[in-house]
Amino acid sequence: MEIGIDSFASAMYGTNTLSSVDAMEQLLNRIVHADEVGLDVFGIGEHHRKEFLDSATAVILSAAAARTKRIRLTSAVTVLSASDPVRVFQQFATLDLISKGRAEMVVGRGSSVEAYPLFGFNLDDYDALFREKLDLLLQIRDNEFINWSGKFRAPIPHLPVYPRPAQEKMPVWLGVGGTPASFARAGTLGLPLMVAIIGGNTSRFRSLIDLYREAGAKAGFRPEQLKVGLHSPGYVADSSERAVNEYYPGYEELWTKLGRERGWPPVTRAQFNHLIGPQGALLVGSAEQVAEKLVRHSESLGGIDRFTFQMDNAGLTHEQLMRSIELIGEKLIPLVNRHTL
């Protein structure tokens, strides 16, 4: 199982708001540290909000590529519906050249929708935009010259798209939430699947992942081509008690704020305790505890190929995050590999 981290490039740590310059430098230092201690992948999201610095994902990843050696670098996710697939491909192909073949993309429709009005798109076209743009992106990835026409973008009459990446076929993962049609679409296209599970019991996604695998098999793809990844909030500390005490205050503040925006009830400690329990989505605890839970999640879902922690928007300090990355690389990954290799 590959294990890594996804970040939204938050500038909100601890009790103080960092300057954007300091927050970006700390983020790059964490990516370098993740590379040094053996994490497999680091992802940067895409938002267009004051509290996050990730609106230009490929720029951040390119800066990280110049300072790292082996870690794979990906979006998490690219809001493809509100982007031009030509420009997205060019940016990530350039990242692939800078990183010498370590670039990937996770593309999706986006759970935060501020990009749509910002770039002049109608939310009523939410899924239609994504279907069309995903088709164009995959055609560009697989072909140097493109003949294409659609509803939301000017046609491309047998034109080349450059640069081409270092990898023969740069990985494109499909990021999904809980919509069955999205799981089936990923399987039909033979794309690796990245499932964002931020609440409830992780095992409830088994039927949707089975749907993905069934759709992929029906479309003629082999099981090893149908990779499954999970993205969930989490945090690893030196002890389970310390992890919970450090993580909960920021988690409660963040998700209660999001709840006010989206109509959810405030977070309670009882809910949090369930989520960090054996079946809950949050992976918060010691390296040993989180490793056991990851293996359990993998078994309940029929096997997972990648897991990424989201942990830098819960009020944790840079020092706490650096220590957590160290524990993931030096303790958690060997423990998980011992059970899954």
Side-chain angles (χ1 to χ4, degrees), residues 75-201:
S75 58
V77 305
T78 295
V79 184
L80 188 61
S81 304
S83 304
D84 181 354
V86 175
R87 293 298 289 159
V88 168
F89 179 83
Q90 290 174 324
Q91 290 163 3
F92 279 83
T94 302
L95 169 64
D96 203 48
L97 297 175
I98 294 169
S99 67
K100 298 180 174 63
R102 293 184 282 130
E104 300 185 3
M105 281 181 261
V106 181
V107 299
R109 296 174 296 185
S111 59
S112 297
V113 296
E114 67 272 1
Y116 290 80
L118 182 63
F119 296 110
F121 295 102
N122 191 330
L123 274 171
D124 291 339
D125 299 321
Y126 186 71
D127 192 60
L129 279 163
F130 183 70
R131 289 198 310 270
E132 178 174 297
K133 293 188 175 190
L134 179 61
D135 172 69
L136 176 54
L137 178 67
L138 295 177
Q139 288 197 39
I140 295 170
R141 181 190 66 169
D142 297 340
N143 301 279
E144 184 174 342
F145 282 79
I146 306 300
N147 272 308
W148 182 90
S149 63
K151 177 181 178 182
F152 300 104
R153 190 200 186 282
I156 303 175
H158 194 65
L159 296 175
V161 177
Y162 299 120
R164 306 308 298 177
Q167 297 176 86
E168 183 177 349
K169 194 168 186 177
M170 185 165 53
V172 176
W173 296 64
L174 191 61
V176 299
T179 307
S182 296
F183 285 79
R185 174 161 50 208
T188 300
L189 294 171
L191 296 178
L193 183 75
M194 179 56 71
V195 189
I197 304 179
I198 60 175
N201 288 351

Side-chain angles (χ1 to χ4, degrees), residues 233-275:
Y235 176 58
V236 178
D238 288 287
S239 70
S240 295
E241 181 180 11
R242 183 170 182 172
V244 170
N245 290 339
E246 291 177 350
Y247 188 81
Y248 177 72
Y251 174 86
E252 186 274 335
E253 179 182 356
L254 171 71
W255 288 94
T256 296
K257 177 184 176 182
L258 288 175
R260 286 194 295 267
E261 295 176 1
R262 302 185 185 186
W264 304 335
V267 171
T268 67
R269 185 56 186 260
Q271 291 170 335
F272 177 78
N273 288 342
H274 172 76
L275 288 172

Side-chain angles (χ1 to χ4, degrees), residues 322-339:
M322 290 285 275
R323 176 58 178 160
S324 190
I325 290 168
E326 190 173 304
L327 289 168
I328 291 169
E330 296 181 355
K331 289 190 174 183
L332 183 139
I333 289 177
L335 286 169
V336 171
N337 286 341
R338 197 174 302 160
H339 286 88

